[in-house]
Amino acid sequence: PRHRAAPPSPAPRARLGIWPVLALLVASAVGVIVWTSQSRQQRTAETQSRQQADAQAQAVADARAELARRERVDALHQRWLRGDGAAVLGEARTQANAGDTRARVLLGQMLLRGGAGVPRDRVAGLAALEQAAQQGSVLAMLVLGHAYGTGIASAGPRPEAQPEQAEHWYARAARTGDARGLYALGQLYAAAPPALGPRPLAAHVALDLAARRMEAEATTGTMERDPLWTGEGSATLARYALQRVAQQLSPAEREQAR
């Protein structure tokens, strides 16, 4: 008998049909990966945006709190000047002990100077100011420089200036870039007290930097007067002092100053 040929195997067709399925699976997997990545990026962006908003809100809150503390201390300062020192002293001490650096500066001034119902306590006053300076208060550095430079900080019954100590504190304030510290240091060098000797070049450099910074602050409107700082200082005064100091420079020092 004649044998009939077997029909062709369907396996090749079946194998050919697998590729579209695999391509669909790969495309789906890629789509999931892309969606996951985009979702992660979106969540990261949203998190960063929330963090920035929180940081800005915190900065605003901190600025308001700092302004409130400053106004509170300045109000105490005004009351002290009006003669209500006895009542103010306790409040200033409380705020200083709570960590308010500006209140500590006021407390130091009150104790160092005395008067208006406040007994003078030189040691406690200097300690309060030095503690504020160690905490980074440029105002405290300026007040200490002024106290030593004018003799307010002296231990004896008569004011006796201590130029070396004044230089130390003014220099610390000047190193922060503070225009008032630069001006005070330049004026101290220009005065040439015997304990320091003549330093016209150093005076010229400090006064020139002070004038430039004060002029920049006046231009940008960032210059402000601090009621707790009674020292003088302006771009005009710095330029005037600079002209006087320049006359004391030798030709070599003038070249070096340039």
Side-chain angles (χ1 to χ4, degrees):
R2 298 177 63 185
H3 295 283
R4 301 177 64 181
S9 174
R13 293 183 181 178
R15 285 195 295 269
L16 290 174
I18 292 175
W19 296 110
V21 175
L22 290 175
L24 180 60
L25 290 174
V26 170
S28 299
V30 171
V32 171
I33 293 172
V34 172
W35 177 82
T36 302
S37 176
Q38 292 176 344
S39 298
R40 186 181 298 112
Q41 292 176 355
Q42 183 177 0
R43 289 196 298 271
T44 301
E46 291 174 351
T47 300
Q48 292 176 345
S49 178
R50 286 196 299 270
Q51 289 175 344
Q52 291 176 354
D54 291 343
Q56 291 175 352
Q58 186 62 48
V60 171
D62 291 344
R64 288 177 176 171
E66 178 61 28
L67 179 61
R69 284 193 296 269
R70 178 176 179 133
E71 291 177 344
R72 189 161 55 244
V73 173
D74 289 351
L76 292 177
H77 178 245
Q78 290 300 317
R79 287 172 55 192
W80 174 45
L81 295 180
R82 290 195 297 267
D84 194 17
V88 169
L89 182 62
E91 296 182 46
R93 196 187 302 277
T94 298
Q95 293 184 29
N97 292 337
D100 191 325
T101 304
R102 189 172 179 83
R104 188 165 284 124
V105 174
L106 175 60
L107 176 64
Q109 287 180 309
M110 295 176 68
L111 293 172
L112 191 58
R113 292 177 177 273
V118 177
R120 185 173 188 265
D121 189 335
R122 170 184 171 275
V123 175
L126 289 176
L129 289 168
E130 289 177 6
Q131 186 176 4
Q134 296 303 329
Q135 292 175 326
S137 171
V138 176
L139 175 62
M141 300 173 197
L142 292 170
V143 172
L144 281 165
H146 183 265
Y148 282 112
T150 57
I152 297 174
S154 59
R158 297 179 60 183
E160 183 177 349
Q162 301 177 56
E164 301 96 332
Q165 286 295 324
E167 178 192 22
H168 169 76
W169 290 110
Y170 282 150
R172 284 191 58 174
R175 282 195 293 270
T176 69
D178 186 83
R180 300 165 300 179
L182 287 163
Y183 177 81
L185 183 64
Q187 286 287 54
L188 178 64
Y189 287 149
L196 299 179
R199 300 185 187 179
L201 181 58
H204 188 283
V205 172
L207 289 169
D208 182 54
L209 287 173
R212 292 175 185 271
R213 289 189 178 276
M214 289 176 176
E215 287 166 352
E217 290 173 358
T219 301
T220 57
T222 56
M223 179 181 290
E224 61 175 343
R225 296 292 181 184
D226 193 325
L228 298 189
W229 169 240
T230 57
E232 62 178 9
S234 69
T236 301
L237 291 174
R239 288 295 178 193
Y240 178 72
L242 193 61
Q243 292 176 359
R244 289 188 288 108
V245 169
Q247 298 173 1
Q248 305 172 23
L249 298 178
S250 66
E253 288 174 329
R254 290 195 186 95
E255 185 62 28
Q256 188 175 356
R258 291 193 188 96

